[in-house]
Amino acid sequence: MSAYRDGDKVVVLLPSRLSKAEEEQWIATLLQRLAERERRRRPSDDDLFTRALELSRRHLGGRAEPASVRWVDNQHARWGSCTPDDATIRLSTRLRGMPPWVLDYVLVHELAHLLIPGHGPDFWALVGRYPKAERARGYLEGVAATAHLPLGLDDADELDDARRSVAG
Ligand SMILES: [Zn+2]
């Protein structure tokens, strides 16, 4: 039994032996699970903030303390950014719908910037505490390459690298 979205329709698969009442009950359950799954994939600003605090606690000893975390849709060349001065973090809405562990990686990356500004060895050691860091970086590079986007993770240096590689 399952429910999934196909364009603007929701398809619910059920065995034919169910009674009408059972069928209705299962449809309600499956639709609720689908909604929960989609919510996890499209977290709100509040969800992002809560998640960031949890990730900081779990992987960075709680030392990174963001003041706010929110979605922005004006970041065309970056997945995320942060301003250490006021401890704000922003994520590109392009990340919406990506697997939660990829989103978590971008959050951990930006949280780590609240503690270490650049991309030196210390920074990568900190980010590496998140177990799926390497895998998530590969995933994002793959998405950027497939879409032919010069997307860097956040900072100007990465963006410049991407522009250089696009320029040849
Ligand atoms: Zn960075």
Side-chain angles (χ1 to χ4, degrees):
M1 302 188 212
S2 64
Y4 61 89
R5 215 171 268 286
D6 180 13
D8 53 5
K9 286 188 302 237
V10 173
V11 179
V12 179
L13 300 176
L14 294 171
S16 53
R17 61 182 156 74
L18 297 181
S19 71
K20 193 81 198 146
E22 285 174 325
E23 219 174 84
E24 274 166 21
Q25 200 182 342
W26 270 108
I27 288 172
T29 305
L30 291 170
L31 288 180
Q32 194 186 342
R33 280 188 205 158
L34 179 68
E36 279 164 20
R37 209 155 63 222
E38 288 181 342
R39 194 173 118 80
R40 277 203 301 277
R41 285 207 157 213
R42 298 180 71 87
S44 67
D45 287 353
D46 284 347
D47 293 334
L48 282 185
F49 184 67
T50 308
R51 188 116 138 224
L53 292 180
E54 171 63 16
L55 288 165
S56 173
R57 192 185 61 74
R58 204 184 301 166
H59 304 291
L60 307 173
R63 288 188 301 129
E65 298 177 277
S68 81
V69 184
R70 61 190 178 87
W71 293 109
V72 290
D73 54 15
N74 59 354
Q75 289 193 153
H76 302 298
R78 304 186 290 188
W79 295 118
S81 64
C82 79
T83 309
D85 288 347
D86 60 5
T88 56
I89 291 175
R90 292 156 300 278
L91 297 195
S92 167
T93 48
R94 286 173 185 274
L95 290 163
R96 278 188 171 155
M98 288 195 192
W101 53 271
V102 172
L103 236 144
D104 285 353
Y105 164 69
V106 179
L107 282 172
V108 169
H109 185 114
E110 300 308 331
L111 285 166
H113 276 316
L114 296 181
L115 305 171
I116 304 174
H119 290 116
D122 291 0
F123 174 79
W124 290 119
L126 197 58
V127 168
R129 292 198 204 169
Y130 175 64
K132 289 181 178 157
E134 274 307 307
R135 206 175 140 205
R137 286 179 77 191
Y139 183 100
L140 291 171
E141 279 167 18
V143 170
T146 307
H148 302 290
L149 296 168
L151 275 161
L153 199 111
D154 51 20
D155 304 89
D157 52 349
E158 287 182 19
L159 183 57
D160 287 344
D161 284 344
R163 282 199 185 120
R164 267 199 293 281
S165 65
V166 165

